[in-house]
Amino acid sequence: MSRIKWNLDQLEEVRQQHEEAMSSTEQVIENGKADLASMTKEVWVGEDANIARNQLSDLLNKEMVETWKELDACNSAIQKAQKTAYESKNFCNGFPQIFYSGSMPSDGDQGACSGELLCDSGNSEELKSFMDAAGKDALNVKSKVESAESLLAELETDVAKFDYSSYTDPIKTQTQKVADRAETYNNAVSKYVVKTTEMDNDLARELLDATPSMVPNPFDPSCLLQADSVHMKDGDVINFLDASKSIQVSNTLSMSQDPSAINTVYKKSNYTATNLAYTSSNSTVTNLKSVTNAKSYAAGAGNGGATDPYAQYKTGISEIDKRIDELFEEYGDDLNGLAEQGVIWEDCDETTKKALAAIYDVSIENVDQSFDNSECEQDRARVGNILHTVADFGGCDVPEVFNPERIADFETYLKKDGVGFEIVQTLKEAQKGGGNNVPAFSYLDVSIVDAGISFGFRDPDNADDVEESAFYTSEDRALRYIKKCEGEKSGCFEHEYSLLDPQEGTPQEALAKQYAMAKSSDDMTFLDRLFKSDESYKDVFSGDPGELSSNVKLILGNHANILAADSNGPDYKEYFDFCNAVISDPVYADKYIESVAVGSGLAADSIIEDVWAKDYSGDAEQAVIKELNKANNNELLWNSIYGIYKEKSKDGMVCNMKIDPNGGVDFQNGDSFTFSWSILSTGNGADLGSDHKVVINALNGESATNWICGAEIEKLERLKEEAAKDVAIDTACSLLGIYCKEAGEGLKLIVDFSKDQAGTAKDQALDAYGNIGKTEKSQVTLFNALDGLFSKITGYNTQKDLFGKISDTALADTVMAYQCDGKPYYYTKLNDYYRIKALKDWDKDGCSALYGTDGDKAEAYWGGLIENDEIVDNIRKNTTSLWIIHNYTDEEIKAALNAIVYGCNDPNHSSGDYKSVRDIPTELRIACIDQLNINNDSNYGNVDEEYSSHVDDLED
């Protein structure tokens, strides 16, 4: 049969009627047996009575029992057909899943469903031919794109590279998806037709076989095509079963043709691959999802046109549900009329607001559950157009993209546990661009970017011009994205997993945390390349990365650190493959080098902050020391690459860069490298370049006296400072815990304190980070916690000329130095584990901590000395500007002296605002120590010298 149309509701009625007929038959048999029992020989006598008793006995115990069994067989056949029908309809209803995820829906779901089961084998074949053509068209497009790639590849040179893969890869991926899913869809349609046809044939055969043999005119299922009633017709048994004379069957169970269904759904006869194309959301389009839904309906999933297309948005409240229907009718299926007509939130009545919020909640949930823009085109458009009502346009004065009053009111109508509410919290922070203006006729664009969702405004005159205003992602969405990618390509994250050493959770969860740190589409696109790369890092650092956030830079820094681990030695091949990939693109090397250099500094700072807040011991201490030394030297190498690159860039484009180790390296100290490059000067051709020797060292004391600080390094330090202001402390803590299992306890103390979960940790955090108490808890960043560290870096570098020796200026800091072809450069930083530990001792217990067993006596001596008013007078004179301006008050000078002698936690000797000796302004600290040294007439060593000795003692 070419067409099948079953009414599943009527089929259920037939099953129920058969059960009633069986029950009636049982009752007749029981009643007949009672009558037979009463026909005793004493009451019924004679030959006729004996014949009557025998015939009635045979009828009740043989023929009618057989009839009941045959009725039971009919009922079993109907039940079997019913289950198969449910499977078929549920299978067909699941066809859209093929285009959502590419997977075949289940064909074993026997869950009850209602409506009609439709199957037209002719239309199904036509549909398959359309889908087959669409798949071929898609593969043809892919083939042409690959041909174009080949041509572009032939045109490339070492200097001229084309960033075509970022454009062609998505096209190839999408076209292959269309082809694969079209094939899967056709297989599903074929399976559906076979399954439904076999079900129809099986029911007809089994009903004929099960018809009671005593019926003169057997039950013929073909009568289902012609009549409203199916009669067992005349016969002794049927006449006797007066309680069940007929079984009503609607003619909708027939196989009558219904060609109007196809015409209603399609509106046109031919479909090609062009109907699957993406178009801008401000026009009415037929997209992949709507086409497949329509074709699934035509193949049998429809319900006679009775399905509510907006059922998923309905709330069960009639007034709101009615308004939802009206909104779609008034503003279009994608609600584009909201934007076109300039509807604003405050002009909507209460019912309209509730209806729009209900649509938004469901639509944004659909978007969040998808990873393909084409799958949720309609939902993205609806979300954008609803959010359009709360945005600020034109010359509004507020800096926020979304009007604060409007979006605050909007969120009150949303589900508080829904993703839509969570996304609104992100949208609240969206700021307008430099012009403080969003064009009045912009469309709000909502787009999926891998594990994130981008919100931006599209120029009405240029659909490709979208300015991103906000970006959302979450660990939950990222984890689903990871699993989806692994389902499509097994092992795509295996290399990244091999680098992770999470303190908590699985590598998958650790990777999801990193994905969720993305703050923009640029971030997400780059991280996706990085996390899916192998050890060669091919194409990760090619093309314009856009503006990468501080979070991504910190990820890159941690990534470089982990590659410098001992386990990758002794040649550290992957580390240098990573380095050379970073510097491989001469056009965008500036961005990539800066990102890794800043990130390496932030990664080192995370460990510095960790050890500043936590007193480690035993094996954990040794592991953290090794991690810190490795991070410091990785930062130093990248600072040297950055500084050299910046200097050479003044002469032209730096290209053909390559860095290799000279012999063995250990990322501890004194490593030597060969750095080669060429300079492409305008009008002068290319300098083929040569090899240059780079040596990195951590220096202290007199050996650092005459080193100079390059201007580019000072600039880089300022960039690191700005980046640190943008990295949340819990982000730094999370990343350190992902890449370094041994460290992170100190950062956790600060995180706990920032979240008011400190307990005893609070005191430790306050001791080390007094400035956090002045900061909003939710705003604690890597910079807040390290404010005292960052503020000194640039100052030391510039004040070296004023104070003569870096060692005096920096005190506890290490001079991080590198040479290029013998020319030295430096920067100073508090990054040596033992110097940090010694400084913490000094801050906590005063100078007594520096003098060993003589500590208390030494402190008493220095305490008496600083009571001398002449010392205070001399410090005031030595810190005077223009001969008459006193830079520091007597109270500030006294606080500095107290900090040096008694530390910063002595309740009897106030250190003022100084929470560490290192917090004392450099000029004031040097003046104080100079006066103490000049007036020292004891056997005790000078304080600054004893500090250095204490460092040595700790290290030994």
Side-chain angles (χ1 to χ4, degrees), residues 508-812:
Q508 265 191 343
E509 292 167 339
L511 185 59
K513 285 183 179 180
Q514 293 187 86
Y515 265 117
M517 291 175 188
K519 291 188 173 183
S520 68
S521 296
D522 288 341
D523 279 3
M524 184 60 71
T525 300
F526 175 78
L527 287 179
D528 201 53
R529 291 206 306 264
L530 176 66
F531 295 153
K532 291 178 178 176
S533 67
D534 59 19
E535 63 275 8
S536 71
Y537 299 95
K538 184 178 183 294
D539 297 329
V540 174
F541 299 95
S542 62
D544 188 356
E547 298 298 325
L548 299 181
S549 72
S550 299
N551 283 358
V552 172
K553 292 172 184 176
L554 180 54
I555 290 173
L556 281 170
N558 278 286
H559 202 99
N561 275 352
I562 200 66
L563 295 179
D566 290 347
S567 57
N568 291 320
D571 60 352
Y572 295 94
K573 181 179 184 302
E574 185 174 342
Y575 179 88
F576 289 102
D577 285 344
F578 173 83
C579 293
N580 287 315
V582 173
I583 61 180
S584 64
D585 187 332
V587 178
Y588 297 107
D590 188 18
K591 287 188 175 183
Y592 290 121
I593 291 174
E594 180 181 301
S595 294
V596 179
V598 169
S600 294
L602 295 177
D605 293 337
S606 298
I607 304 178
I608 293 168
E609 185 170 348
D610 183 63
V611 301
W612 185 259
K614 170 71 176 178
D615 292 325
Y616 285 96
S617 61
D619 292 342
E621 180 179 45
Q622 295 306 310
V624 169
I625 291 172
K626 180 174 287 188
E627 287 296 325
L628 180 56
N629 289 341
K630 178 182 67 178
N632 288 337
N633 281 275
N634 174 67
E635 178 189 12
L636 178 54
L637 176 58
W638 277 104
N639 278 4
S640 68
I641 292 173
Y642 175 90
I644 294 167
Y645 173 81
K646 284 293 188 179
E647 289 290 335
K648 299 306 174 184
S649 294
K650 297 173 183 177
D651 300 326
M653 178 183 285
V654 185
C655 52
N656 300 325
M657 288 180 284
K658 194 172 190 301
I659 188 163
D660 291 300
N662 290 329
V665 297
D666 60 6
F667 293 95
Q668 297 299 313
N669 199 16
D671 290 333
S672 176
F673 309 89
T674 297
F675 191 12
S676 60
W677 62 80
S678 299
I679 304 295
L680 186 61
S681 302
T682 305
N684 296 322
D687 168 19
L688 297 181
S690 58
D691 295 342
H692 304 266
K693 185 178 181 181
V694 177
V695 179
I696 61 175
N697 279 286
L699 303 173
N700 293 298
E702 297 298 328
S703 59
T705 299
N706 296 313
W707 289 64
I708 62 172
C709 178
E712 296 300 339
I713 297 301
E714 288 189 12
K715 177 183 176 183
L716 180 61
E717 294 303 331
R718 289 193 292 273
L719 290 172
K720 291 177 184 176
E721 181 177 319
E722 290 304 312
K725 294 176 182 178
D726 198 37
V727 175
I729 191 65
D730 52 352
T731 298
C733 181
S734 179
L735 277 174
L736 188 57
I738 288 172
Y739 284 97
C740 179
K741 184 176 290 185
E742 292 80 7
E745 292 300 318
L747 289 183
K748 287 180 181 178
L749 291 177
I750 306 170
V751 171
D752 288 344
F753 172 61
S754 71
K755 295 179 179 178
D756 285 328
Q757 299 171 354
T760 58
K762 181 176 181 180
D763 295 331
Q764 297 181 52
L766 280 171
D767 286 347
Y769 302 98
N771 55 306
I772 289 184
K774 306 173 187 177
T775 307
E776 288 294 329
K777 297 293 180 66
S778 61
Q779 298 173 351
V780 177
T781 67
L782 195 59
F783 177 79
N784 297 144
L786 276 173
D787 188 23
L789 308 183
F790 275 107
S791 62
K792 304 297 187 298
I793 293 173
T794 301
Y796 290 163
N797 293 337
T798 57
Q799 291 174 354
K800 177 260 178 184
D801 292 334
L802 296 176
F803 304 118
K805 293 193 301 181
I806 300 173
S807 56
D808 286 345
T809 307
L811 184 66

Side-chain angles (χ1 to χ4, degrees), residues 65 154 703:
V65 170
E154 291 177 2
S703 59

Side-chain angles (χ1 to χ4, degrees), residues 210-225:
T211 300
S213 57
M214 293 181 62
V215 179
N217 295 298
F219 169 56
D220 182 359
S222 64
C223 68
L224 295 176
L225 301 174

Side-chain angles (χ1 to χ4, degrees), residues 98-152:
I98 297 170
F99 294 93
Y100 297 153
S101 64
S103 61
M104 182 80 76
S106 170
D107 63 347
D109 181 4
Q110 295 182 351
C113 48
S114 60
E116 292 177 336
L117 176 68
L118 309 171
C119 182
D120 187 312
S121 58
N123 285 344
S124 296
E125 288 303 314
E126 184 178 2
L127 172 61
K128 287 164 59 179
S129 67
F130 292 153
M131 297 303 291
D132 185 58
K136 290 179 179 177
D137 288 346
L139 291 177
N140 186 43
V141 171
K142 180 183 179 183
S143 177
K144 290 181 178 180
V145 169
E146 289 173 340
S147 298
E149 283 183 321
S150 299
L151 290 174
L152 289 171

Side-chain angles (χ1 to χ4, degrees), residues 69 75 121 193 218 260 293 304 310 316 338 364 388 411 424 469 523 579 622 650 669 671 751 831 875 892 934-935:
K69 291 180 179 179
N75 191 45
S121 58
V193 172
S260 62
N293 281 338
Y310 310 118
L338 291 171
I364 195 63
H388 196 278
E411 73 175 352
V424 162
S469 298
D523 279 3
C579 293
Q622 295 306 310
K650 297 173 183 177
N669 199 16
D671 290 333
V751 171
N831 63 4
I875 294 172
E892 289 173 327
I934 290 171
N935 289 279

Side-chain angles (χ1 to χ4, degrees), residues 97-343:
Q97 172 186 325
I98 297 170
F99 294 93
Y100 297 153
S101 64
S103 61
M104 182 80 76
S106 170
D107 63 347
D109 181 4
Q110 295 182 351
C113 48
S114 60
E116 292 177 336
L117 176 68
L118 309 171
C119 182
D120 187 312
S121 58
N123 285 344
S124 296
E125 288 303 314
E126 184 178 2
L127 172 61
K128 287 164 59 179
S129 67
F130 292 153
M131 297 303 291
D132 185 58
K136 290 179 179 177
D137 288 346
L139 291 177
N140 186 43
V141 171
K142 180 183 179 183
S143 177
K144 290 181 178 180
V145 169
E146 289 173 340
S147 298
E149 283 183 321
S150 299
L151 290 174
L152 289 171
E154 291 177 2
L155 296 174
E156 284 188 323
T157 66
D158 290 339
V159 176
K161 300 281 187 180
F162 300 109
D163 179 24
Y164 55 79
S165 61
S166 60
Y167 301 98
T168 57
D169 285 351
I171 297 173
K172 291 191 294 181
T173 300
Q174 283 292 75
T175 51
Q176 187 61 54
K177 273 187 180 180
V178 172
D180 292 343
R181 295 181 183 187
E183 181 180 1
T184 303
Y185 186 84
N186 281 354
N187 291 337
V189 171
S190 298
K191 189 173 185 178
Y192 173 76
V193 172
V194 171
K195 188 181 187 74
T196 308
T197 303
E198 288 179 350
M199 172 200 69
D200 188 72
N201 292 336
D202 288 347
L203 177 61
R205 184 184 67 256
E206 290 175 8
L207 285 178
L208 284 172
D209 292 343
T211 300
S213 57
M214 293 181 62
V215 179
N217 295 298
F219 169 56
D220 182 359
S222 64
C223 68
L224 295 176
L225 301 174
Q226 302 162 4
D228 291 335
S229 298
V230 178
H231 293 277
M232 295 293 185
K233 298 195 176 179
D234 295 332
D236 294 335
V237 175
I238 300 304
N239 289 335
F240 195 68
L241 300 177
D242 186 57
S244 184
K245 289 185 177 179
S246 68
I247 301 175
Q248 299 294 324
V249 182
S250 167
N251 61 6
T252 56
L253 193 60
S254 72
M255 301 171 192
S256 57
Q257 181 180 2
D258 185 12
S260 62
I262 301 298
N263 293 332
T264 299
V265 174
Y266 284 117
K267 304 294 185 185
K268 55 198 279 190
S269 59
N270 293 317
Y271 272 84
T272 66
T274 57
N275 295 104
L276 307 182
Y278 170 85
T279 60
S280 61
S281 60
N282 61 328
S283 60
T284 303
V285 299
T286 302
N287 57 50
L288 184 61
K289 181 177 178 181
S290 60
V291 169
T292 54
N293 281 338
K295 293 183 177 180
S296 296
Y297 176 88
N303 190 15
T307 301
D308 181 358
Y310 310 118
Q312 63 177 323
Y313 304 110
K314 297 304 174 63
T315 64
I317 302 173
S318 58
E319 182 183 18
I320 299 174
D321 294 347
K322 178 183 177 184
R323 186 59 182 140
I324 288 173
D325 290 331
E326 292 171 349
L327 287 170
F328 283 117
E329 182 177 353
E330 183 176 355
Y331 297 113
D333 222 27
D334 56 6
L335 299 179
N336 197 56
L338 291 171
E340 291 182 338
Q341 298 177 34
V343 176

Side-chain angles (χ1 to χ4, degrees), residues 15 18-19 22 70-80:
R15 184 193 64 77
H18 269 77
E19 288 186 350
M22 291 170 62
E70 290 167 337
L71 285 171
D72 183 46
C74 288
N75 191 45
S76 297
I78 292 171
Q79 287 182 335
K80 176 184 174 183

